[in-house]
């Protein structure tokens, strides 16, 4: 009798969902295949609501379904974020957040530290670029979506996070680090010898374009003749800030083209008649995303010479989409192409002058090479 009642309930739930979806199908012009998939989804949801052994929260069911859909894309850069995670990501792009001051890259299923901010909790604890994060608070990173790892490491100032870290040639080690407020000034500058200006961009936030312009003006007031732009260990960030800087350095024409799946293209351009100064760009294996856009534009247009090692190879573009419950979606929507039409996704950018930086180096041989290249340009 119970079995009969159970199957009766299942059939009733499916029939109800089918009728509802049939109306939606007619209104939205869905294909039969999409209609069938929606019927399966709604049928399972109604069955859980009516027959699961405990009460269920409809919102949690939908949140889980959306998260599952995004995970099925098998894209390390696309992620569904609940309210708290979405708030943290917005704070990160705006330039202030609670964390330990490390930037991460996601490649080949692993989570690697790309760079560590100076004087940050991560730096004080002894974390270094190229360290691999194996677990966060005892949970293996394989249980998270790649982008989710960073959001679990961030948190309120004064709270602790525990990281299991692997470093080449050493035993795995656990670091317990107290989070602090991370206020990012993403650009730093100084005047080097012979009128050579040096600007390092650590990350592209919403304020980076303004910071870069101020740094350029300070160096110009000191008589800058040429610029060394250091994009090493720069994980990328806000593309529009990268374009703002490109418009100050890249000659008139295309900076980057962003192409969506249907072929629709957005082309970001520069109106600069001609660059004011020769530029040498430092890149390495941790230069990613927006930093590769800028480096690629300078290389393709002949406005800059690239020195260092091959870049990371992240050539996709993500969009942050707010949703109805203060949650959000970070979704890969396009790939970008350099002015010459190169897609560097998965391949990276080769420098014009290759210079390795040995792990045991006592001096910055890459910067020294960039200085020599620049001296030849301004003589």
């Amino acid at each position: 009798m119970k079995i009969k009642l159970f199957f009766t309930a299942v059939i009733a739930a499916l029939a109800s969902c089918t009728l509802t979806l049939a109306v939606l199908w007619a209104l939205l012009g869905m294909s039969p295949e999409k209609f069938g998939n929606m019927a399966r989804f709604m049928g399972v949801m109604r069955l859980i609501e009516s027959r699961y052994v405990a009460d269920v929260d409809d919102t949690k069911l939908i949140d889980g379904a959306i998260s599952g859909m995004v995970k099925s894309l098998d894209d390390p850069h696309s992620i569904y974020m609940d309210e708290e995670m979405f708030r943290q990501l917005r704070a990160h792009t705006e330039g202030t957040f609670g964390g330990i001051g490390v930037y991460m890259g996601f490649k080949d299923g692993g989570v690697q530290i790309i760079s560590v901010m100076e004087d940050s909790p991560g730096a004080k604890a002894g974390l270094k670029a190229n360290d691999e994060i194996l677990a966060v608070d005892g949970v293996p990173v394989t249980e998270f979506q790649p982008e989710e790892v960073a959001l679990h490491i961030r948190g309120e100032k004064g709270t602790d996070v525990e990281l299991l870290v692997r470093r080449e040639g050493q035993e795995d080690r656990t670091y317990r680090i107290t989070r602090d407020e991370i206020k990012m000034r993403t650009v730093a500058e100084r005047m080097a010898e012979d009128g050579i200006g040096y600007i390092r961009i650590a990350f592209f936030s919403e304020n980076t374009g303004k910071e870069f312009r101020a740094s350029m003006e300070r160096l110009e007031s000191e008589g800058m003749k040429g610029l060394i732009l250091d994009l090493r260990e720069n994980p990328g960030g806000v593309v529009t800030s990268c374009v703002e800087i490109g418009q100050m350095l890249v000659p008139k024409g295309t900076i980057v083209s962003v192409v969506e799946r249907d072929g629709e293209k957005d082309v970001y351009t520069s109106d600069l008649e001609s660059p004011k100064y020769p530029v040498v760009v430092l890149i390495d294996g941790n230069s990613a995303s927006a930093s590769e856009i800028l480096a690629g534009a300078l290389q393709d247009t002949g406005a800059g010479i690239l020195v260092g090692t091959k870049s990371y190879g992240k050539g996709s573009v993500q969009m942050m989409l707010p949703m109805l419950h203060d949650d959000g979606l970070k979704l890969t929507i396009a790939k970008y192409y350099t002015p010459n039409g190169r897609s560097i996704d998965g391949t990276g950018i080769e420098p014009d002058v290759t210079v390795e930086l040995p792990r045991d180096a006592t001096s910055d041989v890459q910067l020294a090479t960039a200085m020599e290249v620049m001296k030849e340009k301004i003589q």
Side-chain angles (χ1 to χ4, degrees):
M1 182 65 176
K2 289 183 178 180
I3 294 176
K4 183 177 180 181
L5 288 174
F6 172 75
F7 281 109
T8 300
V10 170
I11 293 169
L14 290 174
S16 175
C17 289
T18 301
L19 180 60
T20 301
L21 287 170
V23 174
L24 288 174
W25 179 24
L27 291 174
L28 300 177
M30 286 186 180
S31 67
E33 183 179 1
K34 285 187 178 180
F35 171 74
N37 286 331
M38 287 297 294
R40 286 196 305 135
F41 171 76
M42 293 298 295
V44 171
M45 182 174 174
R46 289 294 298 273
L47 182 60
I48 292 173
E49 289 173 330
S50 61
R51 299 297 300 175
Y52 184 63
V53 68
D55 290 337
V56 295
D57 184 324
D58 288 349
T59 300
K60 285 186 177 180
L61 287 180
I62 296 298
D63 288 350
I66 295 172
S67 179
M69 281 192 286
V70 177
K71 287 179 181 178
S72 74
L73 300 174
D74 197 25
D75 174 12
H77 306 296
S78 293
I79 180 175
Y80 168 71
M81 296 164 285
D82 61 23
E83 181 179 350
E84 176 59 21
M85 292 172 67
F86 192 48
R87 183 190 64 78
Q88 290 183 20
L89 187 61
R90 287 200 308 266
H92 179 63
T93 59
E94 290 165 2
T96 303
F97 59 96
I100 63 172
V102 300
Y103 302 113
M104 284 160 284
F106 314 104
K107 208 171 189 178
D108 301 326
V111 180
Q112 187 179 58
I113 294 177
I114 290 179
S115 63
V116 183
M117 293 176 62
E118 294 181 8
D119 201 36
S120 66
K124 293 174 182 176
L127 296 179
K128 296 182 179 180
N130 299 314
D131 284 349
E132 182 182 0
I133 298 176
L134 303 179
V136 180
D137 288 330
V139 181
V141 297
T142 52
E143 296 189 18
F144 302 124
Q145 287 179 261
E147 288 277 351
E148 195 177 352
V149 175
L151 299 176
H152 281 281
I153 291 175
R154 296 175 200 144
E156 294 296 323
K157 175 182 177 181
T159 60
D160 290 345
V161 63
E162 194 172 88
L163 303 181
L164 178 62
V165 173
R166 175 168 294 164
R167 184 174 296 167
E168 187 178 349
Q170 299 184 19
E171 292 186 1
D172 297 349
R173 176 181 170 185
T174 297
Y175 292 80
R176 190 171 185 83
I177 306 171
T178 301
R179 300 179 178 98
D180 201 352
E181 185 177 35
I182 306 299
K183 295 181 179 179
M184 298 185 299
R185 184 174 185 269
T186 60
V187 178
E189 84 287 339
R190 61 183 171 85
M191 181 63 78
E193 59 191 80
D194 298 325
I196 300 173
Y198 170 90
I199 295 180
R200 167 162 171 73
I201 303 176
F203 177 81
F204 291 92
S205 75
E206 292 178 355
N207 299 317
T208 301
K210 295 177 182 177
E211 292 180 28
F212 184 84
R213 185 178 295 278
S215 292
M216 286 284 285
E217 290 174 352
R218 280 191 287 269
L219 291 173
E220 286 174 352
S221 69
E222 297 177 30
M224 179 171 61
K225 299 177 182 177
L227 172 66
I228 292 177
L229 179 61
D230 194 344
L231 298 178
R232 291 175 296 178
E233 298 185 359
N234 181 321
V238 180
V239 172
T240 51
S241 291
C242 163
V243 170
E244 285 180 50
I245 295 170
Q247 290 169 340
M248 302 179 219
L249 301 176
V250 176
K252 192 171 184 177
T254 298
I255 296 172
V256 63
S257 299
V258 178
V259 183
E260 299 182 18
R261 61 181 289 179
D262 61 1
E264 184 174 341
K265 180 187 296 186
D266 287 324
V267 180
Y268 296 89
T269 60
S270 169
D271 292 327
L272 187 67
E273 289 298 333
S274 61
K276 292 183 179 180
Y277 316 100
V279 178
V280 176
V281 186
L282 285 164
I283 61 170
D284 64 8
N286 290 325
S287 302
S289 192
S291 61
E292 292 175 291
I293 289 176
L294 184 54
L298 289 165
Q299 185 182 54
D300 279 8
T301 59
I305 296 175
L306 274 53
V307 174
T309 55
K310 186 170 74 171
S311 65
Y312 187 84
K314 179 181 179 292
S316 59
V317 179
Q318 286 69 44
M319 175 182 287
M320 286 202 302
L321 304 168
M323 300 176 72
L324 294 178
H325 294 159
D326 294 325
D327 50 352
L329 191 64
K330 185 178 182 184
L331 187 68
T332 298
I333 59 167
K335 289 190 175 182
Y336 71 75
Y337 295 81
T338 67
N340 286 350
R342 291 186 292 167
S343 172
I344 55 85
D345 199 37
T347 58
I349 296 176
E350 293 284 354
D352 301 299
V353 181
T354 299
V355 182
E356 299 285 345
L357 185 63
R359 283 184 173 272
D360 57 352
T362 57
S363 62
D364 191 341
V365 293
Q366 292 175 331
L367 178 57
T369 301
M371 291 288 292
E372 292 303 314
V373 171
M374 180 57 72
K375 287 177 182 178
E376 293 179 5
K377 299 286 286 184
I378 61 177
Q379 283 179 350

